[in-house]
Amino acid sequence: MAQKRAPSGQFKNPQKQVNIIQVQLDLRHSTGNFWIDNGLVYLVNELGQGTYPVDNILALVQERLLQKTGNVGQYFDEVTGELKNYDKVTWVYPTGFFIKVVDAPPKKKVNGKEYPLSPPHPRLEFLFSKTKKQCNICGAQASATDAKMWMFPFIVAPDKFGSFYSRGKRGINLCPRCAVAGTAGYLTWLWVAQGRTALHFFLFHSDLAEISRLQKEVIQPLALSGSRGGNIVLPFYGPYLHETTMALLLKLFAHVQSSDQIPEEGRMLLASLLGADETLPPAPLTLYAITGNPGQAFNMQLFREFSRLHALYRLYQDWLEVVPAENPQQTLINVFRQFQVREGNQYNTLWREKISWAVLEFDDPLPSVEAFLFEARAKEKNLPPLFQGTEAVLSYYAKEVLHVDENLLKVLKGFGYTLGTEAQKSNEMGLLYALRNAKNLEEFLRVLNDIQFRLEITVPERLVEIGQGERIAGSPWLRVKTLLSIYAMNSYLRAARGSRTEEGGNVYEQPATE
Ligand SMILES: [Zn+2]
């Protein structure tokens, strides 16, 4: 394909080959692989389109991937016979989990202590085959190198990702262009660390021209450097992939509306990629999210691809309209952030992960919201209700995504309010647990009957009109039960809060997990 090769006769000694393999950088030849394509675009953005010796490109990438540690070491200069200082360098965090290349120059004992004879400076080097092979990424016939982790991080666990890169078990051949682009991939990701428990990486993929603009106008203005917590600041995060992805998207979506970080062109680009304006998006946009545990190396736990970003953005826009008008963006963030519980000096964010997973997959988050209310909130000492705006967000989602009848939702919300408030007055939280624990339709109806009798309130007829397939107004009875217990328990908690006048009016908020 793109690359021109030097005659193979030039590589007589493969250990010390004079490598003049040329690589063509352009935005026309997508490999379809998000990692390699991002690296390729990075190189085009840095160097401009054209043909370059592969080793020159690699040298540039290497210098960007190395950083001074701030420590000074000593080496023995044999020419002058003196000890000299040098700045120690290391691979930029967190690429050191993938790039394990070190430099160990020969050493000499001076005054009883060993010193290297030159400053150690790790060097990345390609070793390309003399014969042409097919590149496993782009399909080109070219002299190839066996992919190492530092060129392509996702060969670390071929058992887990064998289906993604099916040749992983037998090694992967990379042509010079893919190899050097792969090495540049590290310079393009957004990443966030959850202490020492998890590392999250995010990469966007589209056609090359759009990634090029996305990197220049959106990713680079957003990305910070020199932090060990990440190169992007998220409103919340945790050890799991979906909760952190949700935070990233909420942040990114907010920049479409207004931004003090992204220039106007970047906002316009983001808007068109997310389908925010009426015009057809220029190319589909996909988000890749990778989560793993950092240890000696990176242990990949989960790898997900999110391709319905348009639909998520539309949902986000609509949510902004239904939550209380004052600072809707912050309200949405608080709504999602709240599904965590402090346990000792940490936060358990499993509910938030499950809820975020469901929303990102357009699945049902309600059972996890219900579990959070009954297993976490109702057991806290001060009985905090859900953040203001949560019910609006959930109701809208139930109507639009889960197709719950709008009138049914109104009935559930109204009755849930009465039920929760009356149960709180009569100190009958047990009734709400009985409702929540109803295992089948009969039990659900029995609990409703019980409620009617014990709290002397009338159950709306709508809720006991059972249709085919145990459905109520077209929704499965279980979903109706779940929605009712959410509204009821939240009203109970709100009523409990209202009765404690000293706290009345406080808006419940908890800081993000740190
Ligand atoms: Zn290739």
Side-chain angles (χ1 to χ4, degrees):
M1 249 173 69
Q3 51 281 327
K4 296 171 195 152
R5 288 174 64 251
S8 59
Q10 299 217 358
F11 308 118
K12 289 210 173 70
N13 181 349
Q15 295 305 316
K16 285 196 172 179
Q17 56 180 246
V18 181
N19 206 333
I20 51 161
I21 293 179
Q22 302 281 326
V23 165
Q24 188 183 326
L25 300 177
D26 60 59
L27 295 178
R28 289 190 305 275
H29 301 99
S30 164
T31 67
N33 177 288
F34 72 97
W35 179 261
I36 305 285
D37 279 356
N38 267 282
L40 195 58
V41 159
Y42 177 86
L43 296 176
V44 170
N45 283 354
E46 292 299 309
L47 295 166
Q49 306 205 37
T51 303
Y52 304 88
V54 68
D55 285 353
N56 293 12
I57 310 177
L58 184 62
L60 171 105
V61 172
Q62 172 175 290
E63 281 318 301
R64 305 239 164 127
L65 288 172
L66 277 174
Q67 68 178 12
K68 290 179 181 169
T69 64
N71 296 324
V72 173
Q74 285 193 310
Y75 73 98
F76 182 71
D77 185 340
E78 283 189 305
V79 180
T80 61
E82 290 171 332
L83 287 176
K84 287 184 174 168
N85 290 345
Y86 69 91
D87 292 321
K88 289 189 176 178
V89 292
T90 186
W91 301 109
V92 174
Y93 192 83
T95 60
F97 289 113
F98 305 93
I99 309 176
K100 295 293 183 187
V101 177
V102 292
D103 183 29
K107 289 185 174 177
K108 189 172 182 174
K109 226 173 198 176
V110 181
N111 302 330
K113 203 179 160 196
E114 282 205 319
Y115 292 93
L117 295 178
S118 60
H121 194 92
R123 185 163 282 114
L124 303 174
E125 265 178 309
F126 291 130
L127 205 62
F128 290 108
S129 65
K130 288 182 200 169
T131 54
K132 285 189 178 185
K133 292 180 182 174
Q134 188 176 36
C135 173
N136 288 142
I137 298 292
C138 71
Q141 288 286 341
S143 39
T145 180
D146 184 27
K148 298 284 185 293
M149 212 203 302
W150 59 264
M151 304 169 204
F152 193 63
F154 306 117
I155 54 171
V156 281
D159 52 330
K160 279 183 193 165
F161 298 96
S163 57
F164 204 74
Y165 301 112
S166 56
R167 292 179 183 88
K169 283 171 194 163
R170 282 179 273 129
I172 298 176
N173 288 323
L174 293 183
C175 71
R177 178 168 163 268
C178 288
V180 76
T183 312
Y186 297 101
L187 296 164
T188 70
W189 60 18
L190 291 171
W191 66 277
V192 175
Q194 158 72 12
R196 290 185 189 156
T197 25
L199 266 176
H200 309 280
F201 301 112
F202 301 102
L203 288 124
F204 288 91
H205 194 227
S206 182
D207 67 26
L208 294 183
E210 300 307 336
I211 314 176
S212 168
R213 293 176 60 204
L214 195 67
Q215 278 189 19
K216 271 192 283 198
E217 292 162 14
V218 178
I219 306 295
Q220 281 174 11
L222 276 182
L224 313 161
S225 58
S227 156
R228 283 178 81 87
N231 66 353
I232 184 165
V233 178
L234 296 187
F236 57 83
Y237 52 85
Y240 308 109
L241 182 142
H242 296 91
E243 54 173 337
T244 311
T245 302
M246 179 60 95
L248 175 80
L249 287 178
L250 287 174
K251 169 158 186 145
L252 202 68
F253 290 169
H255 284 290
V256 178
Q257 317 268 326
S258 71
S259 177
D260 50 7
Q261 279 176 285
I262 299 178
E264 183 67 19
E265 313 83 72
R267 295 204 302 106
M268 306 277 280
L269 171 68
L270 208 49
S272 74
L273 283 172
L274 292 169
D277 42 22
E278 297 304 309
T279 59
L280 267 183
L285 182 67
T286 304
L287 169 63
Y288 289 88
I290 300 124
T291 292
N293 315 120
Q296 284 297 91
F298 180 75
N299 179 16
M300 189 150 18
Q301 297 294 309
L302 211 53
F303 182 107
R304 285 284 178 270
E305 185 184 326
F306 300 98
S307 54
R308 297 179 67 187
L309 301 182
H310 293 170
L312 285 167
Y313 184 74
R314 215 158 300 139
L315 193 58
Y316 163 86
Q317 276 182 312
D318 293 345
W319 272 337
L320 293 182
E321 301 292 320
V322 300
V323 297
E326 207 182 311
N327 203 344
Q329 167 68 17
Q330 189 57 41
T331 302
L332 260 188
I333 285 170
N334 291 341
V335 164
F336 280 93
R337 185 170 65 188
Q338 73 184 322
F339 297 108
Q340 57 178 355
V341 167
R342 195 169 193 126
E343 288 177 359
N345 55 5
Q346 285 184 325
Y347 283 99
N348 177 353
T349 61
L350 200 55
W351 291 284
R352 185 163 73 198
E353 168 63 7
K354 288 180 176 172
I355 290 161
S356 300
W357 168 83
V359 170
L360 292 173
E361 300 287 344
F362 293 91
D363 207 300
D364 185 359
L366 300 173
S368 299
V369 175
E370 184 190 37
F372 174 75
L373 265 175
F374 282 80
E375 289 163 23
R377 281 294 166 84
K379 292 184 174 171
E380 279 187 47
K381 240 189 275 165
N382 62 343
L383 299 175
L386 293 174
F387 194 88
Q388 215 193 344
T390 309
E391 285 189 2
V393 165
L394 295 175
S395 303
Y396 186 81
Y397 189 91
K399 176 166 79 96
E400 290 299 316
V401 181
L402 306 176
H403 309 296
V404 177
D405 178 75
E406 198 170 359
N407 285 323
L408 176 68
L409 275 171
K410 277 186 196 146
V411 171
L412 285 170
K413 193 168 183 206
F415 180 60
Y417 174 78
T418 312
L419 169 54
T421 318
E422 291 303 316
Q424 198 274 329
K425 272 190 215 154
S426 319
N427 208 10
E428 288 265 26
M429 197 194 253
L431 270 180
L432 302 189
Y433 275 91
L435 173 69
R436 186 246 165 155
N437 294 335
K439 294 282 176 297
N440 51 48
L441 181 60
E442 288 73 51
E443 220 177 307
F444 173 56
L445 295 174
R446 201 160 53 234
V447 175
L448 286 182
N449 198 39
D450 232 26
I451 284 168
Q452 191 151 259
F453 178 72
R454 303 239 310 253
L455 298 179
E456 294 174 352
I457 54 176
T458 309
V459 175
E461 264 176 45
R462 196 84 198 264
L463 295 190
V464 291
E465 285 169 8
I466 312 301
Q468 264 197 340
E470 303 194 332
R471 284 173 175 262
I472 300 166
S475 286
W477 76 270
L478 186 61
R479 180 163 293 152
V480 174
K481 186 276 305 179
T482 302
L483 275 163
L484 182 60
S485 37
I486 291 172
Y487 290 131
M489 181 54 95
N490 199 33
S491 297
Y492 184 104
L493 300 178
R494 267 203 307 258
R497 157 150 303 191
S499 67
R500 299 190 303 268
T501 45
E502 75 278 9
E503 284 181 67
N506 277 1
V507 179
Y508 181 74
E509 191 176 350
Q510 214 169 270
T513 308
E514 301 301 344

